[in-house]
Amino acid sequence: LHVRSRRQRQMCIRDSSNAVYELGDNHSFLLTKEMEAKLFNDRNPLPLVQSELIDSKIGYIKIPSFIGNDKRAEKLAINIQNEIRDLDKGEINLWIVDLRSNTGGNMFPMYLGLSPILKEGISGYFSMADKSLKAWSYGDNAVFVGDEKKLEIQNYYTLKDSNPKVAVLIDGDLSLIHI
């Protein structure tokens, strides 16, 4: 497709974005060269991970959305684990993971960052086009889809309590999970 004017380009981008949206898979999107340059620029600040200790017994961590390259993904996973490490000083008996306002993106740095409060092994499955299931899991400082390593970090943090209770906040709903 040859687009001759700026207006034609904008209309083409709009129409293409609408067509992708209409697919309804909630994962696909159109990324222009300008958007890609901005999202994958190592000089841009990483999304802010927020955390706090509540009443010395509850660790709270808010996980932001993330889109970026592997280098930035590794940095975000490390940032999340550093926040957990900084909180894990006392006797935390509950971790609250706040995913409200998190619109998604690359789940692997979020997942690997939160892995200290999860148990090793399979955490979920992707449903593939052929109706098969592909496990996503973590272990050995890395996250995997099937047998394929997606992201790995060094200096992995291990939580003091090996069997924590975890609550996950998802846009107003609360799900209590004992892992």
Side-chain angles (χ1 to χ4, degrees), residues 45-51 60-68 72-73 75-81 83-84 96-114 169 171:
L46 286 170
L48 180 64
V49 178
Q50 299 171 337
S51 67
Y60 169 88
I61 187 159
K62 185 167 181 65
I63 305 299
S65 306
F66 174 78
I67 298 176
R72 291 172 54 77
K75 285 180 182 178
L76 180 63
I78 291 168
N79 286 356
I80 294 169
Q81 286 201 6
E83 292 291 327
I84 291 170
I96 298 173
V97 177
D98 191 347
L99 298 177
R100 294 174 299 177
S101 303
N102 181 320
T103 57
N106 182 347
M107 72 175 260
F108 301 117
M110 299 178 226
Y111 179 41
L112 186 55
L114 288 169
L169 302 176
D171 289 325

Side-chain angles (χ1 to χ4, degrees), residues 89-171:
K89 305 269 189 247
E91 297 181 18
I92 293 177
N93 57 23
L94 173 67
W95 286 90
I96 298 173
V97 177
D98 191 347
L99 298 177
R100 294 174 299 177
S101 303
N102 181 320
T103 57
N106 182 347
M107 72 175 260
F108 301 117
M110 299 178 226
Y111 179 41
L112 186 55
L114 288 169
S115 61
I117 65 173
L118 305 171
K119 289 188 177 182
E120 286 197 8
I122 296 172
S123 295
Y125 295 86
F126 289 120
S127 178
M128 309 309 286
D130 67 359
K131 307 287 188 220
S132 67
L133 298 176
K134 194 167 245 187
W136 43 275
S137 62
Y138 89 94
D140 299 322
N141 304 342
V143 292
F144 299 85
V145 174
D147 294 329
E148 181 184 355
K149 188 181 294 183
K150 292 296 191 175
L151 185 63
E152 179 178 28
I153 60 173
Q154 303 302 315
N155 302 318
Y156 179 83
Y157 182 67
T158 302
L159 201 64
K160 289 181 180 183
D161 179 358
S162 63
N163 197 26
K165 289 185 173 75
V166 180
V168 181
L169 302 176
I170 305 171
D171 289 325

Side-chain angles (χ1 to χ4, degrees), residues 21 32 52 58 108 148 167-168:
Y21 175 79
T32 65
E52 69 178 285
I58 300 171
F108 301 117
E148 181 184 355
V168 181

Side-chain angles (χ1 to χ4, degrees), residues 15-31:
D15 293 346
S16 298
S17 291
N18 288 341
V20 170
Y21 175 79
E22 290 298 320
L23 293 173
D25 75 353
N26 298 320
H27 286 92
S28 300
F29 57 93
L30 182 69
L31 191 61

